[in-house]
Amino acid sequence: MPDWSYQTVFRPILFRMSPVAARDLALSCMGMLARLPLGTALIDLMGHMRPDSNLQHAVASVQFPGRIGLGARVDPQLLAPQALSRFGVAFLEIGPLTALPVGTGRIDRDDLAESLTFHAPSENPGIERAVQQLAGLEDVRLLIHLDARCVDIETFQREARSILERLGRRIAGIVLYVVDPAECADLFKRLAAFATAPERPVRLVAVSTRSADRDVQTITSAVQSRLIDGVYVDGSVTQVSGHRVLGRHCFEATRQAVARLRSGLPTGAVIVANGGIHEPIQALQLTGAGSDLISVDSGLIFSGPGLPKRINEALLYRIGGRSASSPSVTTRPTKLSWFWTALMALGMVIGGLLALVIAGTRVVMPYDEASVGMTRDQMIAINEHLLHFMRHDRMTLAGTMLAVGILYLALSIYGSRRGMHWAHVTIVTSAFAGFASFFLFLGFGYFDPFHAFVTAVLLQLLLLAMHCDLSSESRATQPELTNDHAWRLSQWGQLLFIVHGVVLVIAGCVIASYGVTTVFVPEDLEFMETSAEHLHGAHPQLVPLVAHDRATFGGMLISCGVCVLLSSLWGFRRGREWLWWALMTAGGVAYVATILVHWHVGYSSLKHLLPAYGGLAMLVIGGALSRPHLWGKSTVTKEAIQPYV
């Protein structure tokens, strides 16, 4: 459920439901997807959200893969921990966990204020179900919440012992809720005997934003005595009724509490903060105020599942520099993959232009005539519309080939050369999809030696690109720091481009399947005013020649669709106007070539051209919606966020 689908489709639907029903439906679907054989791989594909290795952060004695986690109230019943762990988070919060389950209570949602009111703040699945749901979850750390306020010390100790012994090896931290922070030292002493984790868990005492000042001396004493490691700032607000409220309005109080605690606690004290983070800029402010780790909850519901990823990108941008594991920027171009993918792209552009010229003039080449055993005039004699039909196929193929070359060239120069791993993966995946289509000739029995030669040359360039190193990764891409109008509008544009890519892949598969089976659709035969039987009977190699063009076009369309799909999934970021130009130029070339050649040869059936008209409309609308975002510059510069470092 990435932001481009959540903001545009799922959120409007879910927000028409009751909050509990919407939450349980969304989490159940995500949990079901994660349990499928390739479910987690699909989540990674859609979001590309894993935190960068440069974001690793040590807290006390525990190494976290990042600084962002998900609060316990996002999935209190642990319906989808495997799916949520793939959202770019370093840790998941669980609880307050108890031996027996605590059922779901009512949740009120205020869409205008972006806040949630929980009527059962201690909702949890109980230890037995927690153990089952968390089995095999090794990619993220766990912060376990334990509440000692509502039970006697013997009951709490018995339940805590069961929880720590059952989950011990996966626990990275313990958050303890107590009436008086002075009690936490003794309780942690008691709990230490039950911990079975290979690393000593981070020990935190929970404080509210209102009690932070009052408790700072007690906490300082416990930290200095090494009885605890620090505090967990719970930014939610408890009402007189006992209901707990969290949302955007909680952020400022949380930030101020973190700043006061950081100035009052000893050096090295750990601060984990949760409360009202709905935009990446707020996460930067909290880390700047002194928070070691940050937990997101209501922000995931109102801003979308991509919020942790956007925060990670903002933190990475703030770090600056380049990846230490990447090759130096002074490496010769021939040693880097982008150089060879750019050469491959240039070859495709030149090939596409030549194919356009050939299709617009004589249509068939001498080697076609030699392979089929027929001259151009003999083909015309069989059917006067046959060359027009082949021209429309070959011109459309040339336009698509040119579009793919343009996309590869842009991704190589502006993406892969700048160390954007997603751009390299996009080129390689798309190219292999296209090269695989060469073997479709097995379905129609026509071997094109020139096609084989070009494929072999381009494939060597792709293999060289895979053998070489990626360029050093730049952190210069400005992050998405706010949920502004341009960003929200671009979610619709991104959705259209993604749907466009999927449609192109499907269309390519359909066309390629026709190329290796029946070859012609009814509209083709109506245009040529003939029958398939007549064409098959005219010459044994005639239909395979046409099928070769059709299957090749289908394969090229699949390659183009994969490139558009992956670029749209992974590449949409503010300020990447080069990606906008690449998508619009490539799409414009392909659609103009397709539509004009159909009009030129008289194959202007609305039913036949409707997909092309629809695709062009989707391209124009998607480009218009995404342009303000992709062309825009962040209103918050690196200098502006520097005070929060």
Side-chain angles (χ1 to χ4, degrees):
M1 200 184 292
D3 287 343
W4 53 264
S5 62
Y6 181 76
Q7 293 286 350
T8 57
V9 178
F10 294 117
R11 173 176 158 158
I13 295 174
L14 293 171
F15 274 35
R16 289 181 177 272
M17 304 167 62
S18 71
V20 174
R23 181 195 70 183
D24 291 349
L25 174 63
L27 291 172
S28 296
C29 291
M30 287 191 289
M32 186 182 303
L33 173 62
R35 288 190 294 273
L36 295 176
L38 297 176
T40 53
L42 179 60
I43 295 173
D44 288 338
L45 171 69
M46 299 292 278
H48 219 58
M49 294 189 286
R50 293 298 187 90
D52 189 277
S53 59
N54 289 276
L55 293 176
Q56 292 184 21
H57 190 71
V59 176
S61 60
V62 180
Q63 186 77 15
F64 285 79
R67 301 181 70 168
I68 309 302
L70 288 185
R73 298 180 188 91
V74 173
D75 184 15
Q77 293 293 341
L78 298 180
L79 299 176
Q82 293 282 359
L84 293 175
S85 70
R86 321 295 285 202
F87 278 22
V89 296
F91 62 93
L92 297 178
E93 296 183 21
I94 312 296
L97 195 57
T98 55
L100 298 177
V102 176
T104 303
R106 198 177 88 221
I107 302 175
D108 297 324
R109 187 184 63 240
D110 187 333
D111 297 346
L112 187 62
E114 295 190 2
S115 67
L116 301 167
T117 301
F118 292 83
H119 292 252
S122 297
E123 176 186 356
N124 77 91
I127 183 58
E128 294 298 330
R129 180 162 176 79
V131 170
Q132 295 175 9
Q133 292 297 94
L134 296 172
L137 188 67
E138 298 180 355
D139 294 332
V140 296
R141 304 287 192 165
L142 299 181
L143 258 61
I144 304 298
H145 291 233
L146 300 174
D147 195 342
R149 295 172 298 183
C150 302
V151 293
D152 59 81
I153 188 63
E154 289 78 12
T155 302
F156 170 77
Q157 186 170 319
R158 184 171 59 252
E159 290 193 350
R161 176 176 185 172
S162 174
I163 292 168
L164 295 179
E165 288 179 345
R166 300 290 300 278
L167 291 175
R169 298 192 62 82
R170 292 193 288 272
I171 296 176
I174 301 173
V175 179
L176 192 60
Y177 290 80
V178 292
V179 176
D180 183 355
E183 304 172 1
C184 67
D186 180 62
L187 288 175
F188 271 121
K189 283 182 180 179
R190 295 169 181 262
L191 297 179
F194 311 136
T196 59
E199 302 170 321
R200 182 179 69 79
V202 181
R203 297 169 297 186
L204 305 171
V205 59
V207 297
S208 68
T209 55
R210 295 177 180 177
S211 65
D213 291 338
R214 183 190 66 211
D215 298 332
V216 68
Q217 290 184 346
T218 303
I219 297 170
T220 296
S221 176
V223 170
Q224 290 174 335
S225 302
R226 299 183 180 275
L227 299 173
I228 66 171
D229 297 302
V231 296
Y232 176 90
V233 181
D234 187 347
S236 63
V237 177
T238 303
Q239 298 177 326
V240 176
S241 60
H243 304 155
R244 195 170 291 275
V245 181
L246 65 152
R248 181 183 283 272
H249 66 281
C250 301
F251 170 74
E252 185 55 31
T254 304
R255 188 191 67 81
Q256 292 180 13
V258 168
R260 293 194 301 270
L261 285 167
R262 179 53 70 199
S263 63
L265 291 176
T267 302
V270 176
I271 299 179
V272 180
N274 170 291
I277 303 168
H278 288 214
E279 295 179 323
I281 185 64
Q282 295 173 319
L284 294 180
Q285 292 172 351
L286 273 186
T287 56
S291 183
D292 294 285
L293 301 177
I294 299 168
S295 178
V296 174
D297 41 38
S298 57
L300 200 77
I301 286 83
F302 291 100
S303 297
L307 181 59
K309 177 185 177 180
R310 294 165 62 204
I311 294 174
N312 284 334
E313 290 176 346
L315 291 170
L316 201 59
Y317 174 74
R318 194 180 66 181
I319 293 172
R322 298 176 182 272
S323 175
S325 61
S326 299
S328 168
V329 292
T330 59
T331 304
R332 286 187 302 169
T334 53
K335 298 285 187 180
L336 299 175
S337 62
W338 74 266
F339 177 81
W340 300 106
T341 55
L343 278 184
M344 180 180 69
L346 190 60
M348 295 187 70
V349 169
I350 295 173
L353 290 173
L354 289 174
L356 278 175
V357 172
I358 295 169
T361 53
R362 60 174 288 117
V363 183
V364 292
M365 295 294 289
Y367 70 83
D368 288 322
E369 296 174 327
S371 298
V372 176
M374 295 177 64
T375 65
R376 186 174 183 275
D377 292 336
Q378 288 174 324
M379 295 180 191
I380 296 175
I382 292 175
N383 186 290
E384 60 179 334
H385 301 294
L386 179 59
L387 282 189
H388 292 310
F389 178 78
M390 292 180 65
R391 173 177 283 117
H392 115 275
D393 258 358
R394 293 193 167 191
M395 186 76 79
T396 306
L397 168 62
T400 307
M401 183 178 180
L402 191 56
V404 174
I406 291 170
L407 288 172
Y408 287 180
L409 197 59
L411 289 169
S412 298
I413 295 175
Y414 296 101
S416 183
R417 185 171 67 92
R418 297 175 178 176
M420 298 178 190
H421 180 255
W422 65 268
H424 176 74
V425 173
T426 296
I427 295 172
V428 171
T429 306
S430 170
F432 270 114
F435 286 129
S437 69
F438 169 75
F439 296 98
L440 291 175
F441 77 87
L442 296 172
F444 48 77
Y446 181 86
F447 180 78
D448 183 342
F450 181 74
H451 186 184
F453 172 75
V454 172
T455 300
V457 171
L458 295 179
L459 180 59
Q460 289 183 64
L461 295 176
L462 178 63
L463 294 177
L464 282 169
M466 295 179 65
H467 176 72
C468 293
D469 296 320
L470 285 174
S471 299
S472 52
E473 186 172 358
S474 172
R475 312 296 185 204
T477 301
Q478 291 201 2
E480 304 291 346
L481 296 179
T482 59
N483 304 336
D484 61 13
H485 178 69
W487 176 79
R488 294 183 182 277
L489 199 63
S490 75
Q491 304 305 309
W492 285 99
Q494 187 177 7
L495 174 64
L496 285 177
F497 275 111
I498 289 170
V499 172
H500 192 188
V502 172
V503 170
L504 289 176
V505 172
I506 295 173
C509 291
V510 171
I511 293 171
S513 67
Y514 271 103
V516 298
T517 54
T518 59
V519 183
F520 304 105
V521 297
E523 291 81 9
D524 298 335
L525 300 173
E526 290 176 10
F527 168 70
M528 290 187 287
E529 300 177 353
T530 188
S531 65
E533 291 77 13
H534 172 71
L535 295 174
H536 279 283
H539 194 283
Q541 288 298 313
L542 179 60
V543 172
L545 173 64
V546 177
H548 152 264
D549 292 340
R550 183 139 292 189
T552 304
F553 170 54
M556 192 61 66
L557 206 57
I558 293 172
S559 179
C560 185
V562 170
C563 191
V564 171
L565 173 62
L566 297 184
S567 297
S568 304
L569 276 174
W570 300 334
F572 267 55
R573 294 292 183 277
R574 187 185 303 275
R576 286 185 182 165
E577 64 272 13
W578 64 266
L579 181 60
W580 187 90
W581 276 114
L583 290 169
M584 298 302 292
T585 303
V589 166
Y591 282 118
V592 168
T594 298
I595 294 172
L596 286 183
V597 73
H598 278 79
W599 288 348
H600 175 70
V601 303
Y603 194 175
S604 55
S605 164
L606 178 61
K607 180 180 179 182
H608 184 71
L609 276 175
L610 194 58
Y613 293 146
L616 180 59
M618 196 178 297
L619 176 73
V620 172
I621 296 172
L625 291 171
S626 58
R627 185 184 183 279
H629 177 69
L630 293 179
W631 278 51
K633 300 299 181 184
S634 177
T635 55
V636 185
T637 64
K638 188 171 183 178
E639 290 72 23
I641 67 174
Q642 202 66 34
Y644 304 126
V645 176

